[in-house]
């Protein structure tokens, strides 16, 4: 034991001498190790969630082999937090409760998924604008039609003082003819022509009213169909659901978990999942950007994760490999039995 203590003492003295000769080199090394370990813990444990810096630091120093901050270039945790923000490694903000940090994931696969989500959001906004313009055009057409239907008032004149003026408030052409026949002796030989003209005008008014009603009805049907299509294609930027099977796509957890399948046991804040590995039974907490859906063989059960049919279970009928889409039969809820075609791979996943 004395020999070991003697050797360790000499080794420690040599390290102190080396450190005294070039202290900056050792400080840079420890600073880099501290930064890498801290960021890896932040990424693996909290993902891209906003979290208090003290929570991350307390979990970091709980490991026995951690590098102490006194050996780095940063004197305090606040200085280190500000440095992370200046270097663009994290989003940082100060609150009355202290400093909060948020990891910025620069993984190429994550960036690609974010760009795809932004593209879909823009497409949904374009669809909403088209719907709003279409409804505005239909309303404008309806208002123009009402302006054309305004009644025209004319002055009531009698050709002679002996002519009698009668008013018939009953509806229908038959009553109008009967009333006209009573006054035919007074109105003279033109009475029959007047009655025929009245009947023709009423018939033309009825047919024009029916055609306008039909036109309005068809426009309303078109709006309803457009709203139904909009509902069917509505999307969200989160898709995780409990009891679905997913595949881990991130390489940062090592080959043990890369491309392996797991079951989602819990969804936290819409974007984070607690998954259980199918082969090993290990439990991991991962962001949805590190996961992807799993498409089973035809005949297996799936769950719709996005769009108007979100949350419905179904049976996979067929797969279109060229379009990266599938056809399913809804198997739950009020839409049970409905056949949905051309649904994207990323919008469905196998049920556990």
């Amino acid at each position: 034991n004395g020999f070991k203590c003697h050797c360790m003492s000499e080794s420690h003295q040599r390290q102190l001498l080396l450190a005294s000769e070039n202290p900056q080199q050792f400080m840079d090394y420890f600073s880099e190790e501290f930064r890498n370990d801290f960021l890896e813990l932040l990424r693996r444990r909290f993902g891209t969630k906003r979290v208090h810096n003290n929570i991350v630091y307390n979990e970091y120093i709980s490991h026995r082999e951690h590098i102490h901050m006194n050996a780095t270039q940063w004197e305090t945790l606040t200085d280190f937090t500000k440095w992370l923000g200046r270097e663009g490694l994290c989003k940082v903000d100060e609150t009355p409760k202290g400093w909060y940090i948020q990891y910025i994931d620069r993984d190429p696969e994550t960036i690609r998924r974010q760009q795809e989500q932004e593209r879909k959001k823009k497409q949904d906004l374009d669809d909403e604008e088209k719907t709003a313009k279409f409804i505005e055009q239909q309303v404008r057409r309806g208002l123009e039609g009402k302006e054309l239907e305004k009644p025209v008032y004319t002055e009531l004149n009698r050709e002679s003082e002996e002519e009698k003026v009668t008013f018939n408030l009953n509806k229908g052409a038959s009553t109008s003819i009967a009333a006209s026949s009573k006054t035919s002796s007074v109105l003279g030989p033109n009475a029959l022509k007047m009655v025929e003209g009245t009947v023709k005008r009423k018939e033309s008014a009825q047919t024009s009213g029916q055609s306008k009603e039909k036109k309005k009805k068809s426009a309303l049907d078109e709006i309803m169909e457009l709203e139904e299509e909009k509902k069917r294609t509505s999307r969200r930027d989160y898709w995780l659901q409990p009891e679905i099977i997913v595949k881990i796509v991130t390489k940062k957890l090592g080959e043990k978990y890369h491309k392996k399948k797991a079951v989602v046991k819990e969804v936290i804040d819409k974007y984070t999942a607690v998954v259980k590995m199918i082969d090993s039974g290990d439990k991991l907490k991962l962001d949805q950007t590190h996961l992807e859906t799993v498409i089973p063989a035809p005949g297996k059960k799936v769950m719709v994760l996005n769009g108007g049919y979100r949350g419905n279970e179904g049976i996979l009928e067929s797969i279109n490999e060229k379009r990266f889409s599938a056809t399913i039969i809804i198997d739950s809820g009020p839409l049970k039995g409905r056949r949905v075609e051309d649904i994207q791979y990323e919008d469905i996943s196998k049920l556990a």
Side-chain angles (χ1 to χ4, degrees):
N1 288 336
F3 176 75
K4 288 182 179 180
C5 291
H6 177 71
C7 292
M8 291 179 65
S9 176
E10 288 184 353
S11 175
H12 182 62
Q13 288 178 0
R14 283 197 299 270
Q15 289 180 357
L16 290 176
L17 288 173
L18 291 173
S20 62
E21 290 176 0
N22 194 353
Q24 189 61 40
Q25 179 181 357
F26 280 86
M27 182 174 289
D28 292 342
Y29 170 77
F30 289 133
S31 298
E32 184 178 359
E33 288 293 317
F34 175 82
R35 180 200 66 190
N36 293 338
D37 294 343
F38 187 92
L39 288 176
E40 178 62 22
L41 173 64
L42 175 63
R43 182 196 62 78
R44 186 180 68 254
R45 179 68 176 82
F46 301 98
T48 55
K49 288 179 60 177
R50 180 174 173 268
V51 62
H52 200 286
N53 60 354
N54 268 325
I55 295 176
V56 185
Y57 184 70
N58 288 333
E59 188 164 339
Y60 169 78
I61 62 177
S62 64
H63 298 282
R64 294 178 59 184
E65 298 179 357
H66 75 277
I67 295 176
H68 203 277
M69 185 174 286
N70 289 343
T72 68
Q73 68 188 60
W74 304 285
E75 296 182 0
T76 63
L77 180 60
T78 300
D79 293 336
F80 177 62
T81 303
K82 292 180 179 179
W83 183 87
L84 290 175
R86 288 195 301 269
E87 294 296 320
L89 298 173
C90 294
K91 295 179 182 177
V92 300
D93 62 292
E94 186 180 11
T95 68
K97 295 182 179 180
W99 286 88
Y100 282 80
I101 56 177
Q102 185 176 1
Y103 180 72
I104 299 176
D105 195 344
R106 302 188 184 279
D107 183 61
E109 182 66 19
T110 303
I111 295 173
R112 185 191 66 78
R113 288 174 177 268
Q114 290 175 349
Q115 290 175 348
E116 183 69 16
Q117 290 175 359
E118 291 297 327
R119 184 185 65 79
K120 289 178 180 178
K121 282 183 182 179
K122 184 178 180 182
Q123 184 178 356
D124 293 342
L125 290 175
D126 292 340
D127 292 341
E128 291 179 1
E129 290 178 0
K130 289 179 182 178
T131 305
K133 288 182 180 179
F134 177 78
I135 295 175
E136 185 180 351
Q137 290 176 357
Q138 295 299 326
V139 172
R140 191 183 299 113
R141 289 178 185 175
L143 293 176
E144 290 176 357
K146 287 183 179 180
E147 291 177 358
L148 294 174
E149 294 176 5
K150 286 183 179 179
V152 179
Y153 301 97
T154 58
E155 186 178 356
L156 181 63
N157 295 323
R158 288 192 297 177
E159 297 180 357
S160 63
E161 295 181 357
E162 297 179 356
E163 183 180 353
K164 293 182 180 180
V165 179
T166 59
F167 298 95
N168 190 355
L169 302 179
N170 294 326
K171 295 181 179 180
S174 59
T175 54
S176 299
I177 295 173
S180 300
S181 62
K182 292 180 181 180
T183 58
S184 60
S185 59
V186 181
L187 297 177
N190 294 328
L192 183 59
K193 294 182 179 180
M194 292 174 64
V195 171
E196 291 178 352
T198 303
V199 174
K200 288 181 179 179
R201 284 195 299 272
K202 289 186 176 181
E203 288 178 352
S204 63
Q206 289 177 356
T207 54
S208 63
Q210 290 175 357
S211 63
K212 289 177 181 177
E213 183 180 357
K214 186 176 180 181
K215 183 178 180 182
K216 290 180 180 178
K217 185 177 180 181
S218 62
L220 181 61
D221 291 340
E222 195 171 351
I223 293 173
M224 290 177 64
E225 290 176 0
L226 199 60
E227 287 294 327
E228 180 68 21
E229 179 68 16
K230 177 184 173 184
K231 181 181 178 182
R232 188 180 70 81
T233 57
S234 62
R235 305 184 61 80
R236 301 289 184 270
D237 61 348
Y238 53 90
W239 53 270
L240 292 171
Q241 293 283 353
E243 298 305 317
I244 63 171
I245 297 178
V246 293
K247 184 186 292 184
I248 299 175
V249 295
T250 180
K251 297 180 180 179
K252 297 180 179 179
L253 298 177
E255 293 298 328
K256 180 180 179 181
Y257 301 115
H258 185 232
K259 294 295 182 181
K260 298 297 177 62
K261 295 178 182 178
V263 179
V264 176
K265 290 300 182 182
E266 183 183 357
V267 179
I268 303 173
D269 297 333
K270 298 180 182 179
Y271 300 93
T272 307
V274 176
V275 302
K276 183 179 181 181
M277 304 303 298
I278 294 178
D279 55 356
S280 64
D282 295 345
K283 284 191 175 182
L284 304 173
K285 185 177 180 182
L286 297 169
D287 188 81
Q288 70 173 10
T289 55
H290 296 154
L291 304 169
E292 71 176 12
T293 59
V294 173
I295 306 301
K300 300 294 184 179
K301 296 198 70 173
V302 296
M303 176 175 283
V304 183
L305 308 176
N306 222 329
Y309 302 103
R310 179 188 182 95
N312 286 286
E313 297 180 4
I315 304 296
L316 183 64
E317 184 182 79
S318 62
I319 297 174
N320 189 336
E321 295 181 356
K322 293 182 179 179
R323 295 176 59 86
F324 300 100
S325 64
T327 299
I328 66 170
I329 305 296
I330 301 297
D331 195 38
S332 65
L335 301 177
K336 184 176 181 179
R338 176 172 292 188
R339 188 169 183 266
V340 183
E341 298 180 355
D342 202 28
I343 187 167
Q344 298 300 307
Y345 284 169
E346 60 190 15
D347 292 342
I348 59 173
S349 195
K350 182 179 179 181
L351 271 171

